[in-house]
Amino acid sequence: MKTDLRHRILAERRRRSREVREAASHALAEHLMRKLAVTSTGDLAAFLPLDTEPPLLAALEAAHRGGHRVWVPVVKSDRAMLWCQWRPGIALAAGSLPGLREPVGPRHDIEVFETIHLMVIPAVAVGADGVRLGFGGGYYDRFLERLAAAQPLPEMLACVFHDEILDPGSIPHESHDAVMTQALTERGIVALGGIEDHTPAPTRAE
C-alpha cells in the first residue's frame, strides 16, 4: 500500500506547473521565516530539494540571510546520514542517491544538533495524524531514532505540498516510522496529530 501511494503522489508532483512551484517557493520562505523567528538564533536542519519536491531553496537562503546556520544531510554508502553546513553559492557534488546534490565541505554527526532548534524533514506525504510517508529508504527513521537516544529531538516539521496532507489512517504506521507533529506547506504550518482541526485540500495536483 505504501509503495502504490508513494508512486501516485510522486506522479502528481511531476505534474505541478512551474507557476505553482514558484508561488510555493515564496510562500514556503515566508512561513519558515515566521517559524524561525520564534527560535531566535538557533540553527536549522533541512534538505536540498529535488526538482519535484516542495521548492525549499528560497526558504533556506532566507534562513541564511537571517543569521541561521543551515545544515543539510549527506548520505553515506552504508545508508547512514551525516550533516554538512550549507550556504548560498557553496559548491555541490553528486550524492550517493539519484538526483541528490550535496555540499562540499566537512561532514559532522549528531553533535551539530546541540544548536539545531528546528528540523525540516522531506516527505512524500504526511497524515493528519502525523504519520510520515518517506521515500522508502528509512534514512530519517534510523537517524531520528539514533538522535533521540543521544539528546532531545529538535522541533520537527514534515515538508509537503498542502494537498499531500492526507486523512488520518491513510498512511500505514509501522513501529519504526517517525511521527510528525507539524507540517510546513505553501499554505502555512499545519498542526498534526489532532492538535488542531485540519480540513484536507483537494488531492489533485494543482
Side-chain angles (χ1 to χ4, degrees):
M1 181 178 176
K2 278 188 176 181
T3 300
D4 292 343
L5 183 60
R6 187 180 292 117
H7 287 168
R8 177 179 65 80
I9 294 172
L10 291 178
E12 291 174 354
R13 280 187 173 181
R14 290 191 290 270
R15 289 195 291 269
R16 293 181 191 270
S17 68
R18 183 178 65 181
E19 291 77 14
V20 165
R21 294 184 58 79
E22 288 177 352
S25 175
H26 295 299
L28 287 168
E30 178 181 349
H31 299 313
L32 182 60
M33 290 308 294
R34 286 180 180 171
K35 185 69 174 179
L36 282 170
V38 179
T39 70
S40 183
T41 58
D43 290 356
L44 169 69
F47 63 96
L48 298 181
L50 301 174
D51 289 343
T52 57
E53 288 185 289
L56 194 62
L57 194 59
L60 302 188
E61 292 171 347
H64 174 79
R65 291 194 302 270
H68 301 273
R69 289 190 298 178
V70 178
W71 299 88
V72 298
V74 175
V75 178
K76 298 171 60 180
S77 58
D78 61 359
R79 290 193 162 195
M81 288 200 317
L82 296 177
W83 295 84
C84 184
Q85 189 174 351
W86 173 91
R87 64 185 65 84
I90 194 171
L92 301 177
S96 59
L97 297 177
L100 187 66
R101 303 285 286 174
E102 298 174 343
V104 174
R107 274 51 173 152
H108 301 270
D109 204 348
I110 58 176
E111 72 274 3
V112 301
F113 279 78
E114 293 176 1
T115 58
I116 289 172
H117 297 168
L118 190 67
M119 186 176 189
V120 179
I121 298 176
V124 176
V126 66
D129 52 7
V131 179
R132 171 181 171 267
L133 178 64
F135 290 84
Y139 298 96
Y140 274 90
D141 292 322
R142 285 191 294 273
F143 177 79
L144 291 175
E145 184 177 13
R146 189 165 68 91
L147 180 60
Q151 62 187 56
L153 291 171
E155 190 173 0
M156 298 187 296
L157 296 83
C159 186
V160 293
F161 290 102
H162 193 272
D163 59 13
E164 294 168 349
I165 300 178
L166 309 182
D167 291 339
S170 298
I171 304 171
H173 182 216
E174 300 176 55
S175 59
H176 61 271
D177 291 337
V179 176
M180 304 285 104
T181 59
Q182 299 173 82
L184 171 64
T185 82
E186 76 280 14
R187 296 188 195 174
I189 293 176
V190 179
L192 305 172
I195 299 173
E196 293 180 356
D197 290 338
H198 169 72
T199 303
T203 55
R204 64 177 179 82
E206 296 181 53

